[in-house]
Amino acid sequence: MTNIPALHTTVTGSGPGILLAHGATGSIADNYAALAPALAAAGHTVVAPDYPGSGETPRATAPLTLDGLADAVVERAVAAGVETFTLVGFSLGTAVSVRAAARHPERVRGLVLTAGLARPDRHADITLGLWAHLLERGDHAAFARSRTLTGWSRRHLNGLPQAEADALLTPDPALWPAGSAEQTALVRTVDTTGDLPGIAVPTLVVATTEDELLHPSHSRYLADHIPGAEYAEIAAGHVVMHERYAEWEELILDFLRRHAL
């Protein structure tokens, strides 16, 4: 956990633990604004930490590492008195969740992995490299465009009212986390392929089949290499919580009920 500050964390609800792991250039508020209260209402204690540079967590003073971030989110749950939990990870959060399960198997009871990856393919690496380049140059208008094109499905984006589409392209750096560059850099380095065969807890993998950032083949790989993993698909782009939230929530709640997690 070296150089990773204590993550700003909210804890809500009561019951079996859920630990949330959000995506790069995102936050708990952006990725889990609706799901976190739904999980709490369903009888769970929900621990929701923001990564360095997201929400109210300060930026890290050194490059992020997957081990460090996995340890940091687990530490926040334990500090909140939640000794064991199911990890719900989105995008980068799926790699954080898998690594946390590999490093802390005594604490992880289950995994829900949405729109995720074990390691980036060339297409994702080029896209993320472009993001890093634009953020370094301070080209926020171009970054907003690239983030929109890769975050939303073509179908959903084309169907948005003009005002909503225009809002996505607003070149205001305050609209994305201050730690976006560091989080993007981390995604380009993750590799959990060696962790997957050792995962021994109930796992649900949710593929977003219209994803322009992380092709659904990434999710298929996770499901194929985690023993006993369940696999489901949602016809949505990367930010499934903004496109097909109700369907996503139901998949997750049903999985948790069936496995008594």
Side-chain angles (χ1 to χ4, degrees), residues 91-178:
S91 193
L92 169 61
T94 65
V96 173
S97 298
V98 167
R99 183 56 54 83
R103 289 172 67 82
H104 305 277
E106 74 286 0
R107 300 205 179 276
V108 178
R109 300 180 62 233
L111 294 174
V112 177
L113 311 174
T114 300
L117 77 167
R119 62 183 175 196
D121 60 10
R122 183 174 295 158
H123 185 282
D125 183 65
I126 291 171
T127 301
L128 295 164
L130 173 62
W131 287 11
H133 174 71
L134 296 173
L135 288 166
E136 182 180 359
R137 293 185 59 184
D139 192 341
H140 302 300
F143 177 65
R145 283 168 168 76
S146 181
R147 195 165 178 257
T148 297
L149 287 172
T150 53
W152 302 87
S153 67
R154 182 185 298 265
R155 170 189 48 77
H156 188 87
L157 184 59
N158 286 339
L160 286 176
Q162 189 62 50
E164 292 184 31
D166 290 344
L168 294 173
L169 303 179
T170 302
D172 181 358
L175 296 177
W176 43 85

Side-chain angles (χ1 to χ4, degrees), residues 5-247:
L7 308 182
H8 181 266
T9 303
T10 58
V11 182
T12 54
S14 61
I18 299 286
L19 176 58
L20 303 179
H22 67 75
T25 80
S27 65
I28 290 296
D30 181 58
N31 293 171
Y32 295 116
L35 186 64
L39 292 168
H44 296 277
T45 301
V46 182
V47 181
D50 276 303
Y51 300 160
S54 288
E56 297 181 33
T57 303
R59 294 173 74 171
T61 57
L64 299 177
T65 68
L66 190 60
D67 285 355
L69 194 52
D71 288 351
V73 298
V74 169
E75 185 276 332
R76 288 291 84 201
V78 175
V82 180
E83 298 287 337
T84 62
F85 40 80
T86 295
L87 270 153
V88 176
F90 166 71
S91 193
L92 169 61
T94 65
V96 173
S97 298
V98 167
R99 183 56 54 83
R103 289 172 67 82
H104 305 277
E106 74 286 0
R107 300 205 179 276
V108 178
R109 300 180 62 233
L111 294 174
V112 177
L113 311 174
T114 300
L117 77 167
R119 62 183 175 196
D121 60 10
R122 183 174 295 158
H123 185 282
D125 183 65
I126 291 171
T127 301
L128 295 164
L130 173 62
W131 287 11
H133 174 71
L134 296 173
L135 288 166
E136 182 180 359
R137 293 185 59 184
D139 192 341
H140 302 300
F143 177 65
R145 283 168 168 76
S146 181
R147 195 165 178 257
T148 297
L149 287 172
T150 53
W152 302 87
S153 67
R154 182 185 298 265
R155 170 189 48 77
H156 188 87
L157 184 59
N158 286 339
L160 286 176
Q162 189 62 50
E164 292 184 31
D166 290 344
L168 294 173
L169 303 179
T170 302
D172 181 358
L175 296 177
W176 43 85
S180 290
E182 295 93 334
Q183 294 171 21
T184 296
L186 176 57
V187 182
R188 300 181 72 188
T189 70
V190 300
D191 186 347
T192 63
T193 54
D195 299 326
L196 303 180
I199 300 299
V201 295
T203 299
L204 171 65
V205 177
V206 181
T208 41
T209 61
E210 300 176 25
D211 200 324
E212 299 287 348
L213 178 60
L214 294 178
H215 190 271
S217 59
H218 286 289
S219 289
R220 183 72 262 179
Y221 183 93
L222 291 171
D224 287 345
H225 290 80
I226 295 175
E230 299 178 26
Y231 176 78
E233 295 181 343
I234 299 178
H238 193 66
V239 287
V240 60
M241 67 288 300
H242 297 301
E243 288 195 28
R244 302 286 291 272
Y245 171 73
E247 188 175 346

